[in-house]
Amino acid sequence: MPSSPLPKTYDFKSTEKRIYQWWEEHGYFKPSNDPNEPGFDPSFEPFVISIPPPNVTGELHLGHAMFVSMEDLMIRYHRMKGIPTLWVPGTDHAGIATQLQIEKALAKEGLTREQIGREEFLRRTWAWKEKYGGIITQQIRRLGASCDWTRERFTLDPGLSRAVREAFVRLWEKGLIYRGPRLINWSPGLKTAVSDLEVEYSQEPGKLYYFKYMLAGSESEFIPVATTRPETILGDTAVAVHPEDPRFQQYVGRRVVVPILGREIPVITDEYVDREFGTGALKITPGHDPNDYAIGERHNLPVISVLDEAARVNGNGGPYAGQDRFEARNNLWEDMRSAGLVIKEEPYLLNIPRSQRGGEIVEPMISTQWFVRIQPLAEAALQAVRDGRVRIIPERFTKVYYNWLENIEDWCISRQLWWGHRIPVWYCQACGEVIVAREDPTNCPKCGSEELVQDPDVLDTWFSSGLWPFSTLGWPEETPDYRYFYPTSVLETGYDILFFWVARMIMDGLEFTGQVPFHTVYLHGLIRDEHGRKMSKTYGNVIDPLEVMDELGTDALRFTLLVGSTPGNDTNLSIDKVEANRNFANKIWNAGRFVVSALNTVAGQAILDKAEEANLRTLADAWILARLAELERDVERLFQSHQYGEAGRQIYDFFWSEFADWYVEIAKLQLAGGGARAFATARHLVHVLDTSLRLLHPFTPFVTEELWGHLKATAQKASPALKPAPGWEESLICARWPEPSQPAEWETQAVADFSLVMEIVRAIRNLRAEKNVPPGRRIPAMLVGGERTEILQQQAATIAALAQLDAQALEIVESQTERVEGQVTLVVGSVEIYLPLGGLVDVAEERARLEKELDEAEAQISRLEGLLAGPFAEKAPAPVVQKEREKLANYRDTADRLKAQLQSL
RNA sequence: GGGCGCGUAGCUCAGCUGGUCAGAGCGCACGGUUCACAUCCGUGAGGUCGGGGGUUCGAGCCCCUCCGCGCCCACCA
């Protein structure tokens, strides 16, 4: 570390990269107890997190910044506790997202993937991945992520691909995977099936179309029907009415004619039909509507598909064949209008299903796909959370989790894409045998034919993501990593992927490894803009974390995200907040600069023994040590209960408004005299700063590491006696986490005594501001201390300095009765303060001020008297009552003194 | 149709198992160029903790209800 004088302002730009490289090169991110190294001890319990793998070709956004900050915080905390800690990084191939990127790039060349073929397409995609795949991991490094990059994984790695295949085959062998035609969500833009979760519904204005289903053989009789998708009329195979609906009884069992096509279909009854809605009669299109599909099954209705994979009308659509679904909708409706079949159309708010990725309207279609029979897996996953093997934080999400798993439908896992894990199934062209295999087969086990064709589809990306916590550790191999680090400890991610990812990992973990994949699920919220709006390009309110880091530093961004969030709740982020925390980083830096320079002034001092040091301990010393001890306990408790934000806030408050604002100011006085006291003070400064840096390190790793290095170098040079209790480890990242101590009696006393000093100082400062006494002007004062006189005498220099009193003209006495003209009187509990301000004093003003204070004191007195006279005194716990009694005594004391003052005015 | 979250100083938000918790940052007002920091220091104004009811000696914190935002799940044509 350079020993050159520290710059006035913390220069994060020159620091962050250097520090990160140093950490990474020194191997600090690797677990301390590595099962692959000699000397491995399996009795240590490790702390492990698997990173939520970002899209391999993605770019950093605030969501990443959030989870990286949060996970790095947990990781650094455990690492500092001396626990073998592993954070496994990696990326996801992100089937649809990546494939869309490549197709977009192709389109710029005027090409489609079909034109270049599967092989070429995959070649290009891999090339793209090689080119851009490192960007996101570099960006994650910038955030300070202390992941073990030597264990980085990618979902399409050979090892993970083997895991995927193993998982598929096992499920198949257990009969939990099947293939067949089902009604699925079809994305016509992407030309693939998508799962229920990948469909998002949006409210959009549309129309409800009313028309006539003419009874077969009748020119006049009809059943009125309403639909939002007229083109599906082409696939209708029934009209349903409610069995008890008198309006349509006469038609039940008869047949109606499909408009334009002329097909005859039955009129049936089904309880599902809502008599109140629309016309009370429902057209049934089993081929293109999930409800209709279910009704069709109940009534054995034929299923007619009328759309092709691009959502154009197919051969079943008669004259509309070849037309786009919306074009066909209009044309059919116009033709029906001409045929006199139209009743009316009215505006209607639709719930439109759209593809999460592509954005286009998803079409329910019959399609042959692969599915996972999910109920058995879901049951186990429910049980794991119910019995506490997996704990979800915040707890309210367990209900959401239960609700989803209890109503789960089979999972469509095949995608008609090219980028992903190919389904390990082959079809024998000779005998039709279906071969599901771990290794690519060369010939048919049944007929021996070599004419095998592999299923063209790939698996849903989330199929491989579900295996992530164990596939990254080597599963299905029993590797040392898998044996030691699995199951992992915490799964930290946004609540928006609870179903997509978290639930599936739990299901898969239990199914394939027989264990829960992690013990704790910590869910954070979404990052929104400063007014709570979703960030989006169209609003133009997107905050780019990279820009923020460039301008304000990584520590500032991390601290803002960590302290600004509570588990499971969304966070509103504004640049103002990051700026405030940039200032905090600078505050840390400057407090550090002060301590470093203080150390230089005490260099070479004789070492003090314990007794000497205890002798020299001032009230301020005792106070800051007491507050620090309390902070350590609070932070530990808050970390244990996952209240990281609150912990950060407390450290911030302690550091800025207690250590920097008060102790450092007093330390200046204690240092000024030199000698043993100065040396003892320096020790305390080192101790408090050192401990604060340790506590802050998981939040703001860069500035703390950098400063700690300087502190250590300077302290070691100054005196061996300055070494702190846990010791100077080789770097802060691996330094020991402060061990909280038991609360001690002296702490309470020190805090109470020092707060009297603070109150006195504040009262005087307050008055100076009120009376416009110029800052810097030293004024005389007399303090009448009563029973606190001794403390005041000891603290005279401190009070004088902080309140800018004239130390030469500061009198401290036990009691005083006479009053001098031109004095202002302040009352702080049992202490009276006389400030001779001469001409600045106005008797009427003084009277008013004292009366106001007396009113306040008396109001408190009567409130407390009432309280203590009531049932409170008997029912509340003794310490609580005692506290209130003391308050009352204090207020009475104050009131008495105020009265006396008023009298003498 | 279910479920959940939020509503605390002008703004953005903290407030652990109910007992100085009525707080922070920003903003605002006033005053400050002394050797850690103007990315700073000191002082101050500002809120019946959404409304109403209840439990309790005591409630932002628990219960009920109402109002206003937001989100998730769900097959209403």
Side-chain angles (χ1 to χ4, degrees):
Chain A
M1 283 296 154
S3 59
S4 58
L6 308 184
K8 252 181 124 169
T9 301
Y10 168 56
D11 180 6
F12 57 84
K13 281 198 171 105
S14 75
T15 304
E16 292 176 1
K17 198 170 179 190
R18 172 169 46 81
I19 293 277
Y20 193 87
Q21 266 177 5
W22 179 57
W23 285 333
E24 191 170 359
E25 281 163 13
H26 276 67
Y28 292 128
F29 301 162
K30 286 195 250 178
S32 57
N33 182 45
D34 193 316
N36 302 293
E37 301 288 331
F40 165 69
D41 182 347
S43 63
F44 285 113
E45 179 90 5
F47 180 80
V48 186
I49 295 180
S50 313
I51 206 169
N55 293 357
V56 66
T57 58
E59 294 245 9
L60 195 76
H61 59 244
L62 281 170
H64 298 123
M66 181 72 215
F67 81 66
V68 169
S69 300
M70 190 57 79
E71 289 167 31
D72 195 48
L73 170 116
M74 297 182 191
I75 287 287
R76 284 178 189 268
Y77 167 67
H78 285 91
R79 185 185 291 122
M80 289 175 80
K81 290 205 136 195
I83 294 166
T85 299
L86 173 63
W87 188 7
V88 184
T91 49
D92 193 296
H93 66 280
I96 293 177
T98 306
Q99 179 157 331
L100 280 176
Q101 277 186 315
I102 311 300
E103 289 189 31
K104 220 161 130 190
L106 280 177
K108 280 190 184 150
E109 298 175 44
L111 292 171
T112 66
R113 67 175 157 123
E114 286 81 5
Q115 282 173 315
I116 63 171
R118 185 165 192 150
E119 207 170 311
E120 172 61 12
F121 183 83
L122 287 178
R123 196 192 59 74
R124 287 194 187 215
T125 310
W126 275 103
W128 182 279
K129 183 258 172 190
E130 292 312 320
K131 190 168 169 192
Y132 298 108
I135 292 178
I136 187 76
T137 53
Q138 284 307 324
Q139 292 172 332
I140 285 174
R141 280 178 171 89
R142 274 206 64 187
L143 284 161
S146 57
C147 326
D148 182 357
W149 296 104
T150 66
R151 285 176 163 87
E152 183 179 349
R153 296 291 182 268
F154 174 51
T155 46
L156 288 179
D157 281 346
L160 275 73
S161 300
R162 206 175 315 125
V164 166
R165 196 177 268 204
E166 177 71 24
F168 186 97
V169 175
R170 284 199 198 176
L171 289 174
W172 168 265
E173 287 169 351
K174 282 183 79 171
L176 294 176
I177 277 186
Y178 64 92
R179 180 177 188 251
R182 292 284 185 286
L183 192 73
I184 49 88
N185 302 297
W186 182 264
S187 166
L190 305 167
K191 294 201 179 62
T192 179
V194 293
S195 72
D196 296 346
L197 281 178
E198 290 165 283
V199 178
E200 288 175 345
Y201 291 85
S202 71
Q203 300 252 303
E204 294 172 29
K207 284 179 188 166
L208 192 52
Y209 299 84
Y210 291 78
F211 66 98
K212 302 174 180 173
Y213 248 118
M214 302 303 295
L215 270 294
S218 165
E219 293 294 312
S220 57
E221 286 177 298
F222 67 88
I223 301 178
V225 177
T227 181
T228 55
R229 296 185 296 157
E231 71 278 13
T232 61
I233 291 170
L234 301 171
D236 282 353
T237 54
V239 167
V241 298
H242 193 276
E244 282 150 33
D245 192 334
R247 292 174 294 178
F248 304 118
Q249 283 305 319
Q250 57 212 7
Y251 304 130
V252 173
R254 292 176 64 181
R255 300 177 78 76
V256 292
V257 181
V258 175
I260 311 300
L261 297 185
R263 273 192 289 115
E264 288 188 11
I265 56 175
V267 177
I268 61 171
T269 62
D270 196 286
E271 300 273 353
Y272 172 79
V273 180
D274 180 352
R275 279 175 283 182
E276 308 301 317
F277 191 88
T279 64
L282 177 62
K283 63 188 270 312
I284 305 298
T285 320
H288 294 283
D289 185 280
N291 299 313
D292 294 5
Y293 184 76
I295 294 171
E297 285 200 313
R298 286 202 283 277
H299 297 272
N300 264 323
L301 297 175
V303 177
I304 301 177
S305 287
V306 296
L307 298 175
D308 68 10
E309 58 169 32
R312 287 178 306 236
V313 175
N314 66 16
N316 293 328
Y320 308 98
Q323 295 180 8
D324 172 78
R325 51 184 160 165
F326 302 115
E327 191 187 347
R329 176 181 297 179
N330 291 333
N331 290 339
L332 171 61
W333 192 247
E334 285 316 310
D335 292 346
M336 285 169 64
R337 193 190 300 282
S338 307
L341 297 174
V342 166
I343 299 170
K344 64 174 176 179
E345 35 190 289
E346 59 186 32
Y348 189 68
L349 194 61
L350 301 175
N351 210 16
I352 301 285
R354 287 185 178 275
S355 156
Q356 187 192 41
R357 284 288 168 195
E360 79 281 1
I361 298 179
V362 160
E363 206 62 51
M365 301 222 290
I366 300 292
S367 177
T368 297
Q369 301 286 344
W370 289 91
F371 296 87
V372 174
R373 210 180 298 284
I374 208 80
Q375 278 86 353
L377 304 188
E379 193 42 57
L382 276 167
Q383 198 49 43
V385 173
R386 285 201 187 110
D387 64 24
R389 277 174 294 154
V390 177
R391 188 176 158 222
I392 299 177
I393 296 163
E395 205 199 332
R396 65 185 138 91
F397 282 101
T398 56
K399 213 166 163 181
V400 180
Y401 173 88
Y402 292 153
N403 185 49
W404 187 68
L405 283 175
E406 282 163 358
N407 299 294
I408 196 166
E409 300 276 336
D410 282 357
W411 176 17
C412 174
I413 52 171
S414 44
R415 297 288 179 276
Q416 287 63 56
L417 304 173
W418 289 348
W419 178 242
H421 297 279
R422 190 95 176 248
I423 290 182
V425 174
W426 288 260
Y427 306 102
C428 177
Q429 299 303 97
C431 71
E433 177 73 354
V434 174
I435 305 146
V436 177
R438 288 176 174 81
E439 303 294 335
D440 291 11
T442 51
N443 50 12
C444 176
K446 193 173 167 197
C447 74
S449 164
E450 290 180 5
E451 278 185 68
L452 303 180
V453 175
Q454 185 171 6
D455 194 296
D457 293 349
V458 300
L459 289 162
D460 181 2
T461 300
W462 296 103
F463 190 91
S464 53
S465 314
L467 312 174
W468 184 253
F470 41 100
S471 64
T472 52
L473 293 172
W475 186 89
E477 305 299 321
E478 281 265 330
T479 62
D481 270 8
Y482 176 71
R483 275 198 298 269
Y484 183 55
F485 293 119
Y486 189 81
T488 68
S489 311
V490 176
L491 187 284
E492 196 281 341
T493 192
Y495 64 72
D496 53 327
I497 53 174
L498 179 62
F499 306 145
F500 274 110
W501 194 42
V502 180
R504 282 167 181 165
M505 283 188 287
I506 297 175
M507 291 192 275
D508 288 350
L510 291 164
E511 175 65 23
F512 299 120
T513 71
Q515 302 182 70
V516 293
F518 31 74
H519 302 298
T520 303
V521 174
Y522 179 97
L523 298 171
H524 64 250
L526 276 31
I527 312 291
R528 300 171 171 279
D529 80 359
E530 58 190 310
H531 297 293
R533 291 171 306 188
K534 218 168 187 165
M535 287 191 191
S536 81
K537 283 177 187 152
T538 45
Y539 286 146
N541 62 348
V542 176
I543 296 176
D544 179 353
L546 297 166
E547 282 175 24
V548 175
M549 285 190 277
D550 283 342
E551 284 165 29
L552 300 166
T554 298
D555 288 332
L557 175 63
R558 286 176 57 125
F559 199 79
T560 307
L561 292 172
L562 292 169
V563 167
S565 63
T566 45
N569 288 342
D570 293 352
T571 301
N572 295 357
L573 183 75
S574 70
I575 292 298
D576 285 354
K577 287 187 194 173
V578 188
E579 258 174 34
N581 289 321
R582 182 270 318 263
N583 296 351
F584 179 52
N586 192 51
K587 190 74 186 178
I588 298 169
W589 181 255
N590 271 291
R593 281 180 70 217
F594 171 78
V595 175
V596 165
S597 69
L599 289 182
N600 286 322
T601 67
V602 300
Q605 286 270 348
I607 298 171
L608 304 169
D609 66 31
K610 279 234 184 308
E612 286 173 305
E613 191 181 309
N615 249 347
L616 288 166
R617 182 179 283 192
T618 65
L619 175 57
D621 294 338
W623 166 73
I624 199 69
L625 294 174
R627 286 292 303 123
L628 180 67
E630 199 175 343
L631 177 71
E632 290 171 33
R633 288 189 289 269
D634 283 342
V635 169
E636 192 62 19
R637 175 179 55 81
L638 291 165
F639 266 50
Q640 292 300 329
S641 55
H642 302 283
Q643 297 177 274
Y644 305 106
E646 183 62 17
R649 236 167 270 126
Q650 297 213 8
I651 304 170
Y652 177 104
D653 286 342
F654 167 81
F655 194 87
W656 199 317
S657 48
E658 297 189 293
F659 178 59
D661 286 351
W662 289 88
Y663 187 71
V664 165
E665 291 308 314
I666 293 170
K668 287 174 185 172
L669 303 173
Q670 299 185 172
L671 287 161
R677 168 136 298 156
F679 187 80
T681 301
R683 278 195 64 152
H684 294 132
L685 284 169
V686 170
H687 172 66
V688 177
L689 179 64
D690 167 60
T691 306
S692 301
L693 293 179
R694 290 172 200 250
L695 294 174
L696 280 166
H697 186 256
F699 295 90
T700 56
F702 291 110
V703 67
T704 51
E705 180 75 84
E706 175 73 353
L707 191 54
W708 200 76
H710 289 293
L711 179 67
K712 173 182 162 182
T714 314
Q716 281 177 335
K717 214 161 70 183
S719 165
L722 289 167
K723 185 173 174 162
W728 292 121
E729 292 84 353
E730 60 179 20
S731 58
L732 183 55
I733 190 177
C734 65
R736 275 301 90 88
W737 184 256
E739 188 84 30
S741 56
Q742 289 301 310
E745 193 57 40
W746 66 267
E747 292 177 15
T748 318
Q749 193 57 47
V751 169
D753 288 349
F754 192 74
S755 54
L756 176 67
V757 173
M758 293 169 97
E759 277 179 58
I760 291 169
V761 170
R762 283 203 190 102
I764 298 172
R765 283 174 173 171
N766 175 345
L767 190 93
R768 293 177 61 112
E770 201 176 298
K771 300 287 182 196
N772 289 314
V773 178
R777 183 197 288 176
R778 304 259 156 196
I779 55 173
M782 180 165 73
L783 305 189
V784 180
E787 56 196 15
R788 318 296 298 269
T789 307
E790 199 186 331
I791 294 175
L792 296 185
Q793 276 164 349
Q794 285 163 1
Q795 301 305 314
T798 299
I799 293 170
L802 297 180
Q804 298 189 314
L805 301 175
D806 181 351
Q808 308 301 317
L810 173 58
E811 258 189 287
I812 295 177
V813 297
E814 191 165 350
S815 62
Q816 162 79 11
T817 45
E818 73 183 90
R819 206 200 132 78
V820 185
E821 277 301 299
Q823 283 191 148
V824 172
T825 310
L826 301 169
V827 177
V828 176
S830 61
V831 175
E832 291 168 48
I833 304 164
Y834 295 90
L835 300 170
L837 293 177
L840 292 171
V841 181
D842 175 289
V843 177
E845 229 173 66
E846 278 309 288
R847 181 176 295 281
R849 190 172 58 74
L850 291 171
E851 274 172 351
K852 194 179 158 206
E853 282 181 31
L854 181 59
D855 283 350
E856 279 167 21
E858 283 180 334
Q860 290 298 325
I861 289 167
S862 60
R863 183 184 68 82
L864 287 166
E865 280 174 346
L867 180 66
L868 289 163
F872 169 80
E874 289 151 33
K875 300 220 173 179
V880 175
V881 177
Q882 182 56 26
K883 218 174 192 172
E884 298 304 313
R885 281 197 211 288
E886 281 167 17
K887 273 202 291 195
L888 177 58
N890 203 37
Y891 278 120
R892 281 180 172 152
D893 214 343
T894 302
D896 288 347
R897 280 161 217 280
L898 286 168
K899 274 185 224 161
Q901 291 305 325
L902 278 165
Q903 208 120 73
S904 70
L905 254 182

